[in-house]
Amino acid sequence: MAQAPNQHSSSQLSATDARTAYQHKLHQRQTVVFGSIGAVLAALLVICTFLWISGIPFPFNKEYSQDPRSLTIAPCPPGDTALDPATITARVYNGGLIEGLAGQVGEKLNGAGVEVADTTNWGGDDVIEAVRIYTGKDGVQAAYTLRAYFPDASVIYDSSNTSKVVDVVLGAGWDSMVEAPSEENFADAMKPIDKCMNLSDL
């Protein structure tokens, strides 16, 4: 006599097939997901490598995180005539190694007619040269005039300075100053620094 089909075995086989099909689909989905993530990470790696090699600024770099005085832009003088020292107000900072230097130089500038608003230690970037003069747009002519006392001084634009007051920073390379500048010293002082930028471009 023929035996009836084993329904229990058939149901077990169907459950196994369904489980196998589900695992196969799950594996396919995982492959797609992880493959997509890997492709995105690879693309980001290529982009970051390109930006680093080419020197293109990273798009999330904010300019306001920089100290404006660290940009080292030299402004051109608005004219070639030196100002009367008595019309100049300056702050003198000691960024060098000689103790009390700001006070000494400030006293000499004051004796020359310059109004010295403050003398103190410098808290900014290291200054390896003799003298660095920081100025805003309104103090550029005054800054150049002071170069008659400090012939080798650099003049650097400080966008955060909105006054006519200039900052004279005495650096590690300090040697001496011209205490009584001649007309020739003042004329030389007003000559534009090499590669300076016009005020209209700042």
Side-chain angles (χ1 to χ4, degrees):
M1 177 182 293
Q3 294 182 344
N6 191 334
Q7 295 180 351
H8 181 68
S9 297
S10 298
S11 63
Q12 281 186 331
L13 183 60
S14 298
T16 301
D17 290 342
R19 190 161 46 248
T20 300
Y22 171 76
Q23 290 177 344
H24 179 67
K25 288 183 179 180
L26 181 61
H27 179 70
Q28 284 182 324
R29 290 177 182 175
Q30 290 176 337
T31 301
V32 171
V33 170
F34 289 125
S36 299
I37 293 175
V40 171
L41 292 176
L44 288 175
L45 178 62
V46 171
I47 292 172
C48 291
T49 303
F50 174 74
L51 291 175
W52 180 71
I53 293 176
S54 61
I56 298 176
F58 195 67
F60 301 113
N61 183 31
K62 300 294 185 180
E63 289 187 1
Y64 60 73
S65 65
Q66 292 182 290
D67 185 341
R69 295 173 300 194
S70 69
L71 300 179
T72 62
I73 297 174
C76 297
D80 58 2
T81 303
L83 297 178
D84 181 348
T87 65
I88 298 174
T89 301
R91 293 181 287 255
V92 182
Y93 295 92
N94 186 0
L97 306 174
I98 304 174
E99 186 176 352
L101 182 60
Q104 298 170 20
V105 173
E107 186 175 342
K108 292 178 180 179
L109 284 177
N110 200 20
V114 177
E115 181 180 347
V116 178
D118 191 19
T119 57
T120 187
N121 289 327
W122 176 243
D125 296 337
D126 292 340
V127 180
I128 61 174
E129 63 264 42
V131 182
R132 188 182 293 175
I133 304 175
Y134 290 102
T135 178
K137 283 187 177 183
D138 294 334
V140 174
Q141 197 159 356
Y144 271 86
T145 299
L146 289 181
R147 294 181 72 234
Y149 300 92
F150 314 106
D152 296 325
S154 57
V155 176
I156 298 176
Y157 175 62
D158 177 6
S159 61
S160 67
N161 186 349
T162 58
S163 70
K164 292 184 177 181
V165 180
V166 297
D167 295 323
V168 178
V169 184
L170 311 173
W174 169 260
D175 183 14
S176 61
M177 64 178 286
V178 179
E179 297 186 33
S182 64
E183 290 186 8
E184 184 178 358
N185 290 139
F186 280 110
D188 289 340
M190 299 308 297
K191 294 178 180 177
I193 291 176
D194 187 37
K195 297 182 180 179
C196 66
M197 291 184 63
N198 293 324
L199 293 178
S200 58
D201 296 328
L202 296 175

